[in-house]
Amino acid sequence: MKSAFEGFSCGVDIVNKFANRWRKLSFGVPVFDRLTGGGIPMRGIFELAGDPGSGKTQIALKLALEAQRQVEGSSVVYICTEHMFPSGRLLQMEAEYKRLNPHDEAIRSHRFVDNILVEHIRCVPKLTACLFDRLPVLLEKTPVSLLIIDSITSPFLEEDDFVARAQTFRMTVHRLQQLQERHNFAIFVTNQVRAVIDSSTLDDERTVPALGLAWSTVVHTRLQLARLANTNQKLCAVSFGPTVSPGQGFFQIDESGPVDVPDTSQSHTAK
């Protein structure tokens, strides 16, 4: 049998030959693109963890618009696990998106909402059935640039067999990565957080992403959000990722979704 090995290549050759494989989807928000080196890669699981109200769903909706603009003719799959899909908010963001791009006919004429395919799921069996059975069929017929799961946490909260849960994590991510390799799309998931207290002092409370270490080991890149007290600004910090550097930035939410803070220097005093 003929080997699929094509010989060794230098880094530049790999980037040029497989440019579509290593491309990134821009957030359309400069602070996030700066922290991630250009956006969400088309390989691996990209996670955004954060407090309730920190902007996770707002960022997901903005990405659902941006992905369609950046990959012409593509759709977005949006899986909701915690709440009904915020269609009213999406319509508001789409209208504002078009208003802010008055001279871009491709944006003004595009029906973004019609190309966001929504599924509501509440438990692990239905989530795996969607990802393992229905999603592959869809991908064979429909170009998809982005899969969003908002959030990955909720279906697993009732699972008390942690060994089986860890196996489900690995199996799910392995299957999704196989689909990525074949169909070339990005995966963006949101994650809840939980409070932990330092066992040595009993008073040093901090928030960490839910689902624990078993899930963290299969995540490619993670950012974590936090609300800032007495301000409408929010903090985004890099947790880890193979192609990102440590850093943080500030953003806020307006009618169009997440945007940069006008004067970032002021946000440091807001902490």
Side-chain angles (χ1 to χ4, degrees):
M1 186 176 67
K2 185 178 179 180
S3 172
F5 180 63
E6 299 179 359
F8 293 103
S9 302
C10 70
V12 173
D13 289 340
I14 291 173
V15 171
N16 292 335
K17 186 175 181 179
F18 303 105
N20 201 40
R21 176 186 298 179
W22 305 117
R23 70 176 296 181
K24 292 185 176 182
L25 287 179
S26 168
F27 284 87
V29 183
V31 63
F32 298 135
D33 286 345
R34 174 178 60 80
L35 290 173
T36 58
I40 299 176
M42 298 299 235
R43 295 295 184 274
I45 309 298
F46 189 103
E47 181 189 278
L48 192 68
D51 308 324
S54 59
K56 300 186 297 295
T57 296
Q58 301 288 325
I59 295 170
L61 294 175
K62 181 65 175 285
L63 274 170
L65 300 177
E66 279 291 329
Q68 294 181 60
R69 180 186 67 81
Q70 295 170 48
V71 184
E72 186 176 355
S74 71
S75 295
V76 172
V77 175
Y78 198 118
I79 298 176
C80 297
T81 68
E82 295 184 17
H83 45 67
M84 294 298 292
F85 181 73
S87 54
R89 175 60 172 142
L90 178 63
L91 287 169
Q92 180 188 39
M93 289 175 62
E94 179 183 15
E96 188 66 9
Y97 194 49
K98 293 181 176 181
R99 188 187 71 80
L100 293 173
N101 295 274
H103 304 300
D104 192 324
E105 184 57 32
I107 290 179
R108 292 185 57 82
S109 62
H110 188 66
R111 293 280 298 175
F112 290 92
V113 176
D114 293 345
N115 294 284
I116 299 176
L117 312 176
V118 180
E119 182 87 60
H120 294 93
I121 289 171
R122 294 290 184 267
C123 63
V124 173
K126 290 186 177 180
L127 177 62
T128 54
C130 176
L131 297 178
F132 296 175
D133 301 329
R134 297 195 295 278
L135 179 61
V137 174
L138 173 68
L139 290 170
E140 293 293 339
K141 301 184 297 183
T142 305
V144 170
S145 55
L146 176 65
L147 166 66
I148 296 172
I149 305 177
D150 184 20
S151 73
I152 193 64
T153 321
S154 186
F156 291 97
L157 289 180
E158 301 302 321
E159 297 287 316
D160 53 9
D161 185 338
F162 296 109
V163 173
R165 190 172 78 166
Q167 292 174 340
T168 302
F169 291 157
R170 292 192 295 272
M171 178 177 62
T172 300
V173 170
H174 177 67
R175 188 71 62 89
L176 287 175
Q177 289 176 330
Q178 288 181 320
L179 292 174
Q180 278 185 314
E181 192 66 26
R182 181 169 181 175
H183 299 284
N184 206 48
F185 61 94
I187 299 175
F188 175 86
V189 305
T190 65
N191 193 355
Q192 298 175 10
V193 296
R194 57 188 176 87
V196 296
I197 298 176
D198 191 312
S199 59
S200 61
T201 63
L202 299 181
D203 60 0
D204 185 15
E205 182 176 314
R206 58 192 178 91
T207 57
V208 298
L211 300 185
L213 183 61
W215 170 251
S216 296
T217 59
V218 297
V219 173
H220 179 272
T221 302
R222 171 182 285 162
L223 304 183
Q224 186 160 342
L225 308 181
R227 294 177 296 174
L228 302 181
N230 304 317
T231 175
N232 64 346
Q233 297 177 16
K234 306 174 192 299
L235 172 68
C236 178
V238 174
S239 296
F240 60 77
T243 61
V244 295
S245 302
Q248 65 179 30
F250 299 87
F251 69 101
Q252 59 191 28
I253 306 293
D254 66 11
E255 291 81 359
S256 67
V259 295
D260 276 16
V261 173
D263 185 1
T264 307
S265 63
Q266 295 180 5
S267 61
H268 292 275
T269 59
K271 293 179 67 179

